[in-house]
Amino acid sequence: MKNSTNPIFNSNKLKLGTFCTNTIPNMTFVPEMSMPTWENTLACAKLADAAGMEAIVPIARWKGYLDGKPEHGSNIILDTFTWAAGMAALTKYSAVFATSHAPTAHPLFVAKQTATIDAISGGRFALNVVGGWNRREFDMFGIHLLEHDDRYVYLEEWLQILRRLWTERDEFDYDSRNFHIKGAISRPQPLQPGGIPVMNAALSPVGMRFSAKYSDIGLISLQGDDPEQWREQIAAYKRMARDEFGREIQLWTNCAVTQRETKKEAEDYLRRYSEEYLDREVMDSLMQTLSKENNIPMDSPRLAFMRHRMAVGAGPALVGDAQSIAEQLAAFSRAGIDGMILTWVDFVDGVDRFNRQVLPLLEQAGLRKPHKKPA
């Protein structure tokens, strides 16, 4: 166990968390969809925290996916650092994450923020680092969006500086193409020895290599629907971290949960929100952005697969009754996944159902231990 204060390093075989509660969870018009108010996101966090979920993870976004429509719900995103500070003060167990677009925040600034939130949380903070891809956000900042592979050069330097600020005793200089820093220091440093744990999501080979080298948690986007396919993707990722960099890395993935009393009810509801009420305008715009910024052809099977996934929510769909959801989660675990961060159309209702009906089944299956609430 790397750090006893941070639950992402606990002994549960399958770790769990919530994802994206600081913004809209789906591209749908269903009226019951959670809106990212502070009250809603805090209510969800408290349910996850009380149940012993390991992670509360927000998404970083500065602007949505439709140009010229500031009223669109995808533009409503709570800032992840101030959000994490509030969450850290009002939870007791779960690791609270912030997500940072590295080019929009200097590492000196992030070092101070992260150490402060780690102090508020008592050593339960973690950082999801991303290089960014949504050009309209960079245009707002007046920052040039680097070419794909160059983003990881920048991100590598950014993270190296940040980790030195978290751990070094003395002032240091850092001079590169992207940074010119003299006499750098940041106090206080994080409570967690070695600094803040890092998560990174990557789709490309360059990004996955970066994550294998630097992340404690790699957030993997699994291709296909066959657990045997997943097994090899996961094993190859972990081999790269172990063989090339001498590191052990956790691999997590994200899924959208549709849980009802019967499979038919769940499938009907999935169809309702992801097909009948799909926000096709924003989905079309998002696909065009992903295609352009990640060099994925618009007519490719890969982009079609991504469109289907994103209509469902953040990741593949877990659909069915409680027993079926538990069995699907067990399949991810058998394939080698260490953790799952989950979304629901209605977060409070969804997490409540999951806690009451699915968590006991995961405990019976030996994937999790019963949670002992902190005093």
Side-chain angles (χ1 to χ4, degrees), residues 24-153:
I24 59 171
N26 294 86
M27 297 175 208
T28 181
F29 292 118
V30 287
E32 65 273 18
M33 180 177 67
S34 291
M35 295 305 293
T37 64
W38 173 249
E39 292 77 13
N40 284 346
T41 192
L42 179 60
C44 176
K46 286 187 172 181
L47 285 170
D49 186 61
M53 289 192 185
E54 284 80 6
I56 302 170
V57 186
I59 189 172
R61 183 102 301 119
W62 293 98
K63 193 175 186 180
Y65 310 114
L66 276 178
D67 297 319
K69 292 195 174 182
E71 74 282 359
H72 192 271
S74 64
N75 289 310
I76 306 172
I77 313 106
L78 298 176
D79 165 67
T80 69
F81 283 92
T82 49
W83 177 93
M87 289 293 174
L90 296 170
T91 55
K92 295 182 179 180
Y93 178 77
S94 301
V96 176
F97 284 66
T99 302
S100 178
H101 279 134
T104 68
H106 195 282
L108 281 164
F109 191 65
V110 175
K112 186 72 71 175
Q113 289 178 304
T114 54
T116 301
I117 301 170
D118 202 42
I120 294 169
S121 71
R124 294 183 290 117
F125 182 64
L127 182 66
N128 181 22
V129 300
V130 294
W133 55 269
N134 186 3
R135 188 175 298 274
R136 52 181 59 88
E137 296 178 312
F138 284 72
D139 289 345
M140 282 205 309
F141 278 91
I143 299 171
H144 175 64
L145 179 61
L146 298 171
E147 292 301 316
H148 181 274
D149 291 2
D150 289 338
R151 294 173 209 169
Y152 285 97
V153 174

Side-chain angles (χ1 to χ4, degrees), residues 106-107 153-162 164-165 168 171-184 214:
H106 195 282
V153 174
Y154 183 96
L155 193 58
E156 182 174 23
E157 293 181 359
W158 185 90
L159 187 55
Q160 287 174 346
I161 295 166
L162 188 55
R164 291 182 69 179
L165 290 165
E168 290 201 9
E171 296 179 358
F172 65 90
D173 299 339
Y174 192 100
D175 192 68
S176 69
R177 183 179 69 179
N178 295 305
F179 296 97
H180 308 282
I181 296 173
K182 294 183 178 180
Y214 290 108

Side-chain angles (χ1 to χ4, degrees), residues 231-250:
R231 187 187 305 277
E232 180 49 38
Q233 294 170 47
I234 294 162
Y237 205 144
K238 291 186 175 183
R239 278 198 305 270
M240 176 168 55
R242 186 179 303 115
D243 295 347
E244 295 190 35
F245 306 112
R247 304 182 68 247
E248 297 295 328
I249 185 174
Q250 292 188 36

Side-chain angles (χ1 to χ4, degrees), residues 20 44 135 173 223 262 287 345 352 365:
C20 292
C44 176
R135 188 175 298 274
D173 299 339
Q223 301 301 304
T262 68
M287 289 302 104
V345 172
D352 179 60

